[in-house]
Amino acid sequence: MLHVETQRTRTVEEHAKIVAELLPPMEPESVPIGAARGRVLARDLVAAVSLPSFDNSSMDGYAVRAADLAGASEDNPVELPVSADIPAGRTDVPPLAPGTAARIMTGAPVPEGADAIVPVEQTDAGTERVRLRVQPAAGAYVRRVGEDTFAGDVVLTAGTVLGPAHIGLAAAVGAATLEVRRRPRVLVLSTGSELVAPGTPLRRGQIYESNGPMLTAAVEDAGGEAELLRFVPDDVDQFLTTLAGRVRESAVDLVLTSGGVSAGAYEVVKDALTGRGVEFTKVAMQPGGPQGAGRVPELGDVPVVTLPGNPVSSQVSFEVFVRPALRTALGHPEPHRPVRTATLAERLTSPAGKRQYRRGVYAGPDTVREIGTAASHRLAALARADCFILLPESVTHVPEGTQVEVWDLHR
């Protein structure tokens, strides 16, 4: 059927708010620290132990009482008996008697009574008796309990995106698991009778399906958990039956479709979901004008976001609306792409009343130029772009040298 739009055009901000409200904050779940990289911490992590948890040596050398080496120098070394060997990991370390030294390795516990370490390079490295050629200050080369953090301290705060150093710190304070935000489960629907799987021979009128794999990768990159349901036919009944069957199988936080939302005939997504809780509209942007969002009571009130079918329109729409919503639901501290200002290296024109998201590349540290054209089917230019150049709705001509806002796509 042909669709006639009667609703006023939405602003980008209005539609972004509607999409964001579909996804509540994800609940916490416990995962092993080995599976926590890239996840968002849901609760503060409190250290179970101090770091270090015992006084230990920062050097290979000899644990001593500093007072026993009064006057020691290169020309006047002090010789002491070696009372013990203390490798890292030894748990039965004997106290250090006055007038003796204990050979000690980096990370090993400092024996009770010792208050300094003499590096092996400042000795003759003796094993029975050792000649020490320096008078150390008390505390020299001793790592004290709690120098890094004390038991009970908050070492990682909720909202931290966990990287390798965070994982290492969590392990060091004794955390075997971490409470992180559950990843949103997103069902990506690929519709279109003209679509075939990559690698399949093409017949005239067919194209390789790219939006599904692209949006699936985009969901995963944003922190979600994606499942691709491919080649849903351009038939309303089959579309609804296929979607309902999958949603009943296991919980889904969001259904994400591409294509079938414009004003022409054979718009299966719009035909199937109009009147079922999804509101279709135009957004004042380019590419990506036709959009839809809502909840479908017949599918258990599952949220649905519908994106346009042209590949660039679909991916730009994901970046503008879906990625920030997913990352906000994850409690991510930076849900939006980093924004910076750059100098435009060429003149651009833009249609009035539509915010432009133009594919761009950095031509220098603070200079940007468009790559390709504004056409929404040219995916190769999007793949080479490292930023979006934003042109406001009120702008129709942007001269070379103008300061423009850009979104970094690789951060």
Side-chain angles (χ1 to χ4, degrees), residues 110-122:
V110 175
E112 182 183 345
D115 60 4
I117 306 297
V118 176
V120 66
E121 294 84 358
Q122 295 174 335

Side-chain angles (χ1 to χ4, degrees), residues 34-35 41 47 60 84 100 107 116 131-132 148 151 200 210 232 234 260 264 271 276 351 373 395:
L41 194 64
D60 293 338
T100 67
R131 293 166 64 88
L132 303 112
D148 196 353
T200 304
S210 60
V232 180
D234 281 339
D271 291 344
R276 289 185 167 90
T373 71
V395 168

Side-chain angles (χ1 to χ4, degrees), residues 312 315-316 319 337 357-363 368-373 378-389 406-411:
V312 176
Q315 183 62 17
V316 168
E319 286 286 339
R337 292 287 189 185
Y357 294 86
R358 306 286 273 269
R359 286 147 282 179
V361 292
Y362 292 112
V368 68
R369 63 177 176 84
E370 185 176 29
I371 182 170
T373 71
R378 296 196 173 185
L379 189 55
L382 178 62
R384 294 194 293 269
D386 50 28
C387 64
F388 287 153
I389 304 169
V406 297
W407 285 9
D408 283 331
L409 297 179
H410 293 167
R411 293 178 57 194

